[in-house]
Amino acid sequence: MSKVVLHIGGHKTATTTIQDMFHANADILAEHGVIYPRFERQTGHHGLVINWKKMPKIYRLPEGDIGTLKALVEAHAGTDNTLFLSSEEFSRDRCLVDIAKIREILEPFDEIEVICVLRPQWQFLQSAYVEVARGRCPPRPGKVVEQAIETSLYEGLWVDYNRLIARLDGVFSPEEITLFSFWSCREYPGGIVGKFLDHLGLDLKPSQMETVNGGNSNVSPLTLASYAANIVAEPEPAPMWLVNKTTHALRQEIGGSVRPCLFTRAEFALLKEHFDPLNAELAQHPAAQRNGFRLAPFAPHGVNLFREDLTTAFWVRVARMGFQGMLKARKT
């Protein structure tokens, strides 16, 4: 029987790690019956996302999104293989509006599965904040909290995961939707790649595959280092050299084992009060019930620095490093 697996993210849940590893090891996966299409300019399948009006040119495919999807269906539906397609961009709200069109194209497969990996919203939001900061100056963290609570969205991505799953309901049955907890995947033998290999039923371990980026791609800077660089550079995006400087300053002031949280304790409490009940509601969804999925109540496990804990000494150190960096840049 033929099967297609649509891995839709979510964002900041090691999607790039999975894509890089599967892309690099596509040949050995094919030997085990899993087809991971290789596109020329990216390891993920972002070019298959339909109705993404701001899709970067680098993701666009010669045959287009729908044309490429139809070609993949023609090549692999009716075989005994599993076609694995992966892009976190599938989970953008604007793109989820047309998820029924993708389902229609994939209908010739005997079996369809949608996989979504989710993490507690406070972790997702701070990781998304850092990602946004790579290209432009993001909103202040307080505004991020306010937007997430008021709109259930951040940067066009669902923060209330019930709303995300609601987009899938009616298009896919609960038996076709698989939800994983990001942290349970991280703790799985072989990490998230090991989890996906086992879920696909492969007699294959990450240790038998070529490792890409040490098995951990697209690692984000420390959240409060990114925040400090953004404050200094605002309204311009913070350059990477400045983020490196603030990271160094943070480690010097707090220590090498710093585990920061972008939010203040009060903001964390607001997020917890709002999203814990919504996550409990999601745990009752039939798709969640099917494999025991749940997100634990918010708890800042391991966090040893909230935003209000940044000291005057830290900011002075950042100012000095930033000034020295500017002088060095002018000389060169």
Side-chain angles (χ1 to χ4, degrees):
M1 287 188 14
S2 61
K3 180 177 180 178
V4 58
V5 175
L6 193 63
H7 172 219
I8 67 170
H11 287 73
K12 306 311 298 179
T13 58
T15 51
T16 305
T17 295
I18 294 168
Q19 291 156 12
D20 286 354
M21 288 285 289
F22 276 34
H23 182 272
N25 294 276
D27 291 340
I28 190 171
L29 289 172
E31 293 173 6
H32 288 75
V34 172
I35 306 301
Y36 189 84
R38 279 176 166 152
F39 297 152
E40 183 178 353
R41 294 187 292 180
Q42 70 265 6
T43 61
H45 302 132
H46 314 310
L48 298 179
V49 178
I50 66 176
N51 199 26
W52 185 9
K53 294 181 180 179
K54 295 184 179 180
M55 178 188 289
K57 290 183 180 180
I58 193 172
Y59 295 159
R60 295 174 186 171
L61 301 169
E63 296 181 48
D65 44 19
I66 292 178
T68 306
L69 277 169
K70 288 182 175 179
L72 289 169
V73 171
E74 183 177 352
H76 301 292
T79 70
D80 291 328
N81 294 323
T82 294
L83 176 66
F84 188 94
L85 304 177
S86 175
S87 174
E88 60 272 32
E89 307 304 342
F90 282 119
S91 63
R92 288 187 178 275
D93 180 51
R94 178 62 257 175
C95 304
L96 281 170
V97 169
D98 292 321
I99 196 69
K101 180 64 175 178
I102 293 178
R103 170 61 189 263
E104 180 183 342
I105 295 171
L106 299 177
E107 193 62 37
F109 283 91
D110 297 311
E111 187 178 348
I112 299 176
E113 181 182 21
V114 177
I115 299 179
C116 190
V117 182
L118 301 173
R119 65 192 303 185
Q121 286 86 348
W122 71 273
Q123 295 173 349
F124 164 72
L125 284 169
Q126 65 175 10
S127 293
Y129 167 93
V130 172
E131 193 67 25
V132 169
R134 295 179 189 270
R136 59 182 170 83
C137 187
R140 297 286 182 93
K143 288 293 185 182
V144 173
V145 172
E146 181 181 313
Q147 178 186 348
I149 290 175
E150 289 185 358
T151 69
S152 298
L153 289 163
Y154 179 62
E155 295 293 316
L157 307 173
W158 285 115
V159 188
D160 176 358
Y161 301 138
N162 293 283
R163 306 284 289 275
L164 188 158
I165 302 305
R167 292 291 197 197
L168 301 176
D169 283 338
V171 178
F172 302 95
S173 70
E175 292 74 24
E176 294 173 327
I177 302 171
T178 298
L179 302 178
F180 288 144
S181 161
F182 173 66
W183 290 107
S184 67
C185 289
R186 285 284 298 268
E187 295 169 357
Y188 196 84
I192 195 164
V193 174
K195 175 68 173 180
F196 270 68
L197 293 175
D198 280 359
H199 182 74
L200 292 169
L202 303 185
D203 184 20
L204 184 65
K205 303 299 179 185
S207 59
Q208 299 172 275
M209 302 168 68
E210 176 187 343
T211 301
V212 182
N213 296 321
N216 198 10
S217 299
N218 195 27
V219 178
S220 298
L222 294 175
T223 54
L224 287 179
S226 176
Y227 164 75
N230 295 331
I231 293 298
V232 172
E234 197 176 67
E236 299 298 322
M240 199 62 225
W241 69 261
L242 182 56
V243 177
N244 291 336
K245 292 287 187 183
T246 55
T247 300
H248 182 63
L250 195 65
R251 294 195 185 281
Q252 282 195 318
E253 285 295 325
I254 310 301
S257 60
V258 59
R259 296 283 300 276
C261 176
L262 177 66
F263 306 112
T264 65
R265 290 174 177 81
E267 290 165 351
F268 185 94
L270 285 174
L271 290 170
K272 176 179 176 62
E273 180 182 13
H274 184 79
F275 286 108
D276 270 357
L278 294 174
N279 291 341
E281 177 185 337
L282 178 61
Q284 301 306 310
H285 189 281
Q289 292 278 303
R290 186 167 55 83
N291 66 345
F293 168 86
R294 65 184 293 273
L295 291 175
F298 280 24
H301 296 303
V303 171
N304 54 19
L305 187 75
F306 287 86
R307 197 171 79 250
E308 72 262 39
D309 298 330
L310 292 174
T311 63
T312 301
F314 165 76
W315 287 110
V316 169
R317 189 183 292 272
V318 166
R320 287 173 176 165
M321 286 182 167
F323 181 70
Q324 292 167 359
M326 289 176 60
L327 289 178
K328 183 176 180 180
R330 286 179 180 177
K331 291 178 180 179
T332 57

